[in-house]
Amino acid sequence: MTGREPSRRRRFLRLLGGIGTSALAGCSGLGASTSEGPTPAVTPRSAPSAPADTTAALRARPGAAHPAADASEDSWLYDGEYPGPELRVAEGEILEVELANDLPAETTIHWHGVPVSNGMDGVPNVTQQPVEAGGSFTYKFRAEPAGTYFYHSHAGLQLDRGLLAPLIIEERDPHVTYDREYTIVADDYLDGAPRPLSDADSARGPMGGGGPGRTGDGPGGRGGMGADERPPYAGLLLDGRFPSDPRTYTVREGERVRLRFVNASSATAFRVQVAGHPLTVTHADGRPVEPVTVDSFVFGSGERYDAVVEAESPGTWEIRATAIDGDEPPAKATLSYDGRNPSGPTTAPSSDGRRLSYGDLRAVSPLDGIGGSPDRTFDLTLSAGGRSNRWLIDGQAYPDADPLSVREGEHVRVRMMNRSPVLHPMHLHGHFFQVGDAVKDTVVVPGHMGEVTFDFVADNPGDWLFHCHNLYHLDAGMARVVQYE
Ligand SMILES: [Cu+2]
């Protein structure tokens, strides 16, 4: 049984609902092959030509991210909401979203984690022309596989200005049972316009701050934002709420509650705990895993975890997300049992307890096609650049960087080694990859010579960005295009 109770603020954008998913099972016109000749190893995906099952309209425009009197009108938001409206569709449905751009700048939407066809992926100048100010663009794709995702602008630093929102694709048959679910978006909130690293660098002057030739190995520079620093965040927020005004998630004793945690932040890795309640992690980046029970998990920008908590400890409990690399007060929300006074004392988490590691994750459905030796291996070094606060992959700063060329159907291995002192949440567009026994789309490479290897199958032709999901690292060059030959 899967009951849902969306938060008051959220809207279900089912403007054209009513078509049962079973009716879609035999839907034709999806992923029509564009290949000629012998049976191709993989079938290129194209945007579905069938009519949409769910349509939504989103308007990107400036506004205030929260009702506080001192909130500036300088945030950029979807439909004036922060986070933006949750899109929720059933697995296999065709989702069509018309984006109207009322921003004074170009924009796009990226459907983070969903392996859409290339033209729908929303990366400016890689998969589409950016949507100009005053313009519009219609995204259309089949919503699969099921999972917890999010959507966000992929233009410049717009993600850190508030253009982010959850996207939930519901399973037909969840591998875990639950009675109620909530989506919880963690973010680092910047009031107003983000500044790129290069701005901070030039503001410092050629000899100022950390000085030229900083490698990222030393402490952050003073008087500007150095390559390994974070922006001056106004706060760490859960679901757009400051810790002083936490959102309350109501549960009833005896319920199993599915919490979908999304790290939509631009530069923050969070440690997440729910006081008094172990977390049974059921999904990593939307993909089902064998349930594993822990007391906390850490996730980087772009990662998602679903966890089920058993509501068997009546009271008022704190949900806490602590930056592991920042000094802002932790983001907070409240888990409150029905009938309890939510303004009563809230019990905070006591200690870290057992923390999830990637080695705990076992995908219910491992990736096919990655047994044996890879057809192609990339050895990539992640590092901070010497000049202008660049962030590098193998010594190159995107866009002045070589593509990573693959061929359709290949089993590709990517080995990353991190020579910098800070972690990098690396995200591959258009594909899931296998890391250990987990299937993910974003993986944190720890600082100080951390190493991570993942494997994927080149089964979705196109040009796909592979990049650090720390927005400032991406903006400073930490990206490559995975290009099908
Ligand atoms: Cu990074």
Side-chain angles (χ1 to χ4, degrees), residues 382 391 418 420 422-426 467-474 478:
L382 313 178
W391 280 99
N418 182 359
S420 76
V422 298
L423 64 81
H424 301 288
M426 301 301 294
H467 66 93
C468 180
H469 219 279
N470 179 310
L471 192 63
Y472 298 87
H473 297 179
L474 164 60
M478 198 167 235

Side-chain angles (χ1 to χ4, degrees), residues 28-32 46-52 94 140:
S28 60
L30 300 176
S46 56
S49 55
I94 297 167
K140 187 176 182 185

